[in-house]
């Protein structure tokens, strides 16, 4: 009996997680798939007709928004790496006794909803706002220069909103780097640059890997930044899904677009994991 309990203990401990995953992920996914195969409208009702033709139809119609979303998500992810890695590095190696304070400052914007944070940047990036206004006043920018309603504004908004998701996993990994390993590199006459490239950077790859996933996936499916900062010419696939669900009430079409986006993201994630080599990353992390 005791042996049976010891064997069942891990499964019982994992049971709440499996229940949570099943109720809040698997069941909605199945429901979404079922809805995508229906036809009809909100007045007469939706009927399951296994209409698989909706999938090539949405790909043909919205391929431009899908590619644009992936491009914006990739640009925002690269920008988050460029900004977030130095921040995480500085906090991990030079934060001293105030690391918790710096991490709190990184997370502080999350105490405000994403919509309000994005709207605040709409005022800052306005044609005569705090960012462009002074440069126009001293003649460094032409009067018709603008950032709002451009791809730059959308990518900047995405990077701003998801930057902490890049900083935190990189910091968590850098915090665990054994400083004696870095000192050993210095003892072997490695410069700071070579110690970083050959010691610190490889050890931090698991954090970068996790940060890329945490930033790229939600930023590619985001619709708030494109709605507030992008205008009509920078529509992302998230805006299409939003309008199909809540404006057109075309639930099967919206569900099919969601599945297409999910499939594209999964293919991208698996390709990224295969290219980076997650096993090698974990081996580096394990030392």
């Amino acid at each position: 009996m005791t042996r049976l309990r010891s064997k069942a203990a891990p499964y019982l401990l994992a049971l709440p997680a499996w229940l949570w995953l099943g109720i809040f992920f698997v069941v909605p996914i199945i429901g979404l798939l079922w809805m995508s195969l229906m036809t009809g409208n909100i007045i007469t009702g939706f009927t399951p007709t296994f209409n698989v033709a909706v999938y090539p139809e949405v790909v043909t119609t919205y391929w431009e928004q899908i590619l644009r979303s992936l491009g914006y998500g990739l640009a925002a992810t690269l920008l988050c790496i460029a900004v977030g890695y130095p921040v995480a590095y500085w906090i991990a190696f030079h934060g001293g006794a105030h690391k918790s304070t710096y991490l709190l400052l990184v997370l502080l914007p999350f105490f405000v909803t994403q919509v309000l944070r994005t709207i605040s940047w709409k005022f800052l990036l306005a044609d005569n706002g705090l960012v462009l206004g002074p440069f126009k006043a001293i003649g460094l920018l032409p009067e018709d220069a603008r950032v709002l309603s451009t791809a730059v504004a959308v990518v900047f908004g995405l990077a701003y909103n998801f930057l902490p998701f890049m900083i935190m996993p990189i910091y968590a990994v850098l915090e665990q780097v054994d400083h004696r390993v870095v000192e050993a590199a210095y003892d072997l006459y490695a410069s700071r640059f070579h110690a970083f490239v050959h010691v610190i950077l490889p050890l931090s790859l698991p954090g970068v890997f996790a940060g890329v996933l945490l930033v790229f996936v939600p930023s590619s499916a985001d619709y708030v930044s494109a709605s507030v900062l992008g205008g009509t010419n920078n529509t992302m696939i998230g805006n299409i899904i939003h309008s199909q669900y809540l404006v057109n009430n075309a639930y099967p079409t919206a569900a099919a677009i969601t599945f297409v986006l999910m499939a594209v993201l999964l293919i991208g994630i698996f390709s990224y994991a295969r290219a980076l080599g997650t096993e090698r990353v974990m081996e580096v992390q394990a030392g």
Side-chain angles (χ1 to χ4, degrees):
M1 190 66 180
T2 304
R3 187 176 180 181
L4 181 61
R5 286 179 180 177
S6 63
K7 285 186 176 181
Y11 299 100
L12 293 175
L13 290 174
L15 183 60
W18 284 109
L19 287 176
W20 178 277
L21 193 65
I23 295 173
F24 295 105
F25 180 74
V26 176
V27 172
I29 287 294
I30 294 175
L32 201 64
L33 177 63
W34 185 247
M35 174 58 71
S36 70
L37 300 175
M38 293 184 177
T39 54
N41 56 64
I42 195 172
I43 297 176
T44 60
F46 296 97
T47 306
T49 56
F50 300 98
N51 179 32
V52 294
V54 69
Y55 283 95
E57 180 182 337
V58 298
V59 172
T60 305
T61 306
Y62 301 111
W63 65 269
E64 186 177 353
Q65 286 81 4
I66 294 174
L67 292 180
R68 182 183 297 140
S69 300
L70 297 177
Y72 287 176
L74 179 61
T77 302
L78 294 177
L79 185 58
C80 283
I81 294 176
V83 177
Y85 196 101
V87 172
Y89 180 92
W90 188 87
I91 296 176
F93 287 95
H94 305 285
H98 302 288
K99 291 180 180 178
S100 299
T101 303
Y102 298 135
L103 292 176
L104 177 63
L105 292 176
V106 170
L107 296 175
L108 200 57
F110 272 61
F111 287 84
V112 181
T113 177
Q114 181 185 356
V115 175
L116 291 180
R117 279 184 277 130
T118 308
I119 291 176
S120 68
W121 279 103
K122 184 176 183 179
F123 291 101
L124 293 174
L125 298 176
D127 292 349
N128 293 306
L130 293 176
V131 177
L132 297 184
F135 291 102
K136 290 183 177 181
I138 60 178
L140 289 179
L141 288 176
E143 285 298 324
D144 59 349
R146 64 178 316 171
V147 176
L148 281 180
S149 300
T150 65
V152 174
V154 178
V155 172
F156 181 84
L158 292 172
Y160 168 74
N161 282 319
F162 295 104
L163 181 61
F165 291 109
M166 182 64 72
I167 294 177
M168 298 307 291
I170 295 177
Y171 166 79
V173 174
L174 289 175
E175 175 66 17
Q176 297 177 5
V177 172
D178 191 344
H179 289 238
R180 293 173 298 181
V181 177
V182 182
E183 293 174 0
Y186 294 148
D187 292 340
L188 295 174
Y189 302 104
S191 63
R192 288 187 177 275
F193 174 77
H194 286 94
F196 172 77
V197 171
H198 296 290
V199 178
I200 298 175
L201 183 59
L203 291 174
S204 65
L205 282 182
V208 177
F209 180 83
V212 168
L213 294 183
L214 291 174
V215 173
F216 177 71
V217 173
S219 61
S220 298
D222 183 80
Y223 68 95
V224 175
S225 297
S227 299
V228 177
L229 303 174
T232 57
N233 294 326
N234 295 285
T235 304
M236 296 176 66
I237 196 62
N239 303 103
I240 301 296
I241 296 173
H242 178 265
S243 63
Q244 291 290 349
Y245 261 121
L246 300 181
V247 179
N248 301 331
N249 295 320
Y251 301 151
T253 303
I257 299 173
T258 304
F259 257 93
V260 170
L261 177 63
M262 189 186 306
V264 171
L265 290 176
L266 285 175
I267 293 172
I269 290 171
F270 286 131
S271 301
Y272 166 69
R274 186 174 181 82
L276 189 61
T278 53
E279 292 181 358
R280 189 175 66 84
V281 167
M282 295 309 163
E283 288 174 359
V284 170
Q285 176 66 8

